[in-house]
């Protein structure tokens, strides 16, 4: 699996988006998550099971003024 353009060594059967977010301590309140370039909504993080060849992107959403 690829996480943010780097190989992710922690992939295992049954791994979910929520597991990856928790294990990597992504705590920013606003995240944009994509699996294979498809948007994943926060309410689905625990339901999306990742495959070994998936490309996961977890992006911190920033704003400014």
């Amino acid at each position: 699996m690829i996480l943010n353009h780097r190989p992710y060594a922690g992939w295992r059967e049954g791994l979910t988006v929520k597991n990856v977010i928790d294990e990597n301590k992504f705590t920013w309140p606003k995240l944009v998550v994509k699996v294979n370039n498809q948007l994943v909504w926060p309410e689905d993080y625990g339901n999306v099971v990742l495959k070994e060849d998936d490309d996961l992107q977890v992006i911190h959403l920033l704003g400014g003024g």
Side-chain angles (χ1 to χ4, degrees), residues 8-62:
Y8 184 68
W11 183 87
R12 61 192 178 277
E13 283 290 327
L15 184 71
T16 66
V17 170
K18 182 173 178 4
N19 295 139
V20 174
I21 289 171
D22 291 345
E23 291 168 10
N24 288 278
K25 297 178 176 52
F26 291 121
T27 58
W28 195 257
K30 301 227 184 229
L31 297 173
V32 175
V33 176
K34 291 182 177 183
V35 176
N36 300 323
N37 225 18
Q38 297 292 315
L39 186 64
V40 178
W41 295 99
E43 57 268 18
D44 296 326
Y45 290 172
N47 300 324
V48 176
V49 178
L50 299 163
K51 298 181 204 108
E52 192 171 8
D53 61 345
D54 280 343
D55 180 9
L56 174 63
Q57 294 180 11
V58 180
I59 303 159
H60 294 104
L61 186 61
L62 299 175

